[in-house]
Amino acid sequence: MTKEKSKVTSGGCFCAAVRYEIKGQLRGVVNCHCSQCTKLNGNFGAHSKALKSNITITRDKGLSWYKISDTAQRGFCRECGSGLFWDNIEQNTLGIIAGSLDSPTNLKTIGHIFVEDKSDFYEITDNIQQFKGSSEGKLEGDFL
Ligand SMILES: [Zn+2]
């Protein structure tokens, strides 16, 4: 087993009523500028991603799920309010709200999606790839 594959990344909410561990590699962070993410996070949503089968919730005392739609739900801590997960129930991957990962994450931001919907109080000033809407599988570095 390579070092990369055997590594474990940990994370959790602010008050530690939710803790999780992820085996193997995580996708780089994608900033989602859609209006849903902006409302839910107070800003754009910075998401990593991992295979659901590689994720273990080691403490779920505070874990709640808010149903966004028939196919999507958001995992958060009902004790402290931290956002943790973005779950499209039809996919085998789980979006990880990047700020919930323990530091150092060793991740880089690799893209911006739904930039057409972004709020007007900030500009995107980096040179990272952008997509008007969904990346539709065209995001470089998205191996999941
Ligand atoms: Zn908490």
Side-chain angles (χ1 to χ4, degrees), residues 69-81:
S69 69
D70 286 344
T71 56
Q73 56 181 357
R74 181 178 193 263
F76 67 100
C77 174
R78 64 178 166 269
E79 306 283 334
C80 68

Side-chain angles (χ1 to χ4, degrees), residues 19-113:
R19 294 289 302 164
Y20 61 81
E21 289 181 354
I22 303 169
K23 282 188 300 183
Q25 228 187 328
L26 278 73
R27 187 198 64 192
V29 176
V30 175
N31 293 337
C32 180
H33 299 268
C34 81
S35 55
Q36 247 176 19
C37 278
T38 303
K39 280 282 182 200
L40 289 165
N41 297 299
N43 204 340
F44 56 82
H47 296 123
S48 180
K49 191 163 78 170
L51 285 171
K52 286 178 181 172
S53 56
N54 283 349
I55 301 169
T56 307
I57 309 290
T58 53
R59 189 149 197 254
D60 68 353
K61 186 173 160 265
L63 184 60
S64 281
W65 293 95
Y66 176 74
K67 201 169 188 290
I68 309 266
S69 69
D70 286 344
T71 56
Q73 56 181 357
R74 181 178 193 263
F76 67 100
C77 174
R78 64 178 166 269
E79 306 283 334
C80 68
S82 301
L84 296 158
F85 306 118
W86 177 271
D87 182 19
N88 181 324
I89 60 170
E90 293 172 331
Q91 292 176 4
N92 65 350
T93 55
L94 187 68
I96 314 290
I97 295 179
S100 74
L101 292 163
D102 294 339
S103 284
T105 68
N106 298 312
L107 296 173
K108 294 256 187 291
T109 300
I110 61 169
H112 298 279
I113 59 172

Side-chain angles (χ1 to χ4, degrees), residues 112-124:
H112 298 279
I113 59 172
F114 290 96
V115 297
E116 212 160 54
D117 300 338
K118 86 168 185 62
S119 193
D120 57 3
F121 62 84
Y122 63 94
E123 299 301 329
I124 300 170

